[in-house]
C-alpha cells in the first residue's frame, strides 16, 4: 500500500477509504464490515496477536476474512462472482491501524 486516505461522508456519516494501488475488496471489506466498529478492530488485533501460527477466519455481513501467519484473504459472500483477493498480512493491519487512528482522532475531537 502506497497511500491510504480516510474521509467521513458528511451526508451518510460513513467512512470512505481510498487505497493506492486500488484494492476493491479490501476497500469494501473495511467500508462494510469495519466502519465505526472499534470492538471488531480490537477483536481482530487480539486474535491476530494470539493466533500462534494458525489460520483465523471470521464471516461478516458481506465478506469472509481469513488471516494466515503472513497473508490475508477476503472472500465475497452470497452471489458475488468475484474471486477472493488477498495480500500480505502487514498491509491489512496497516490499514486497520490507520482506521483505528482515524476513529480515535474523531472521538477526541468530539
Amino acid at each position: 500500500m502506497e497511500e491510504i486516505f480516510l474521509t467521513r461522508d458528511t451526508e451518510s456519516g460513513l467512512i470512505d477509504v481510498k487505497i493506492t494501488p486500488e484494492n476493491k475488496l479490501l476497500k469494501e471489506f473495511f467500508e462494510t464490515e469495519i466502519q465505526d466498529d472499534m470492538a471488531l478492530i480490537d477483536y481482530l488485533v487480539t486474535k491476530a496477536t494470539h493466533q500462534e501460527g494458525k489460520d483465523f477466519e471470521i464471516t461478516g455481513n458481506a465478506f469472509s476474512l481469513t488471516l494466515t501467519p503472513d497473508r490475508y484473504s477476503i472472500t465475497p459472500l452470497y452471489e458475488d462472482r468475484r474471486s477472493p483477493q488477498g495480500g500480505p498480512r502487514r498491509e491489512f493491519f496497516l490499514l486497520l491501524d490507520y482506521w483505528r487512528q482515524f476513529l480515535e482522532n474523531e472521538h477526541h475531537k468530539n
Side-chain angles (χ1 to χ4, degrees):
M1 262 182 255
E2 293 180 17
E3 294 182 302
I4 300 169
F5 297 101
L6 298 173
T7 56
R8 178 140 343 240
D9 183 292
T10 54
E11 289 185 29
S12 70
L14 298 175
I15 300 170
D16 178 60
V17 62
K18 291 185 183 13
I19 305 168
T20 305
E22 187 176 47
N23 184 329
K24 285 189 178 192
L25 283 182
L26 184 60
K27 171 186 170 55
E28 290 176 26
F29 175 84
F30 272 82
E31 291 177 349
T32 61
E33 307 297 341
I34 304 291
Q35 262 313 308
D36 290 305
D37 196 344
M38 192 66 102
L40 180 55
I41 293 171
D42 291 341
Y43 177 73
L44 289 171
V45 170
T46 299
K47 285 299 277 187
T49 303
H50 297 88
Q51 194 175 2
E52 299 176 6
K54 299 176 188 165
D55 291 358
F56 167 68
E57 184 175 354
I58 64 164
T59 300
N61 296 317
F63 298 95
S64 175
L65 168 69
T66 303
L67 295 172
T68 68
D70 60 345
R71 305 226 9 113
Y72 76 88
S73 178
I74 296 171
T75 304
L77 301 175
Y78 310 109
E79 296 183 24
D80 195 325
R81 298 192 188 278
R82 294 178 290 177
S83 298
Q85 189 174 3
R89 178 184 165 120
R90 64 181 159 64
E91 286 186 3
F92 179 85
F93 282 98
L94 175 66
L95 180 53
L96 194 66
D97 186 51
Y98 270 76
W99 207 277
R100 172 193 286 281
Q101 290 176 31
F102 182 83
L103 292 176
E104 287 174 346
N105 287 339
E106 279 190 332
H107 179 69
H108 291 322
K109 288 178 184 176
N110 296 330

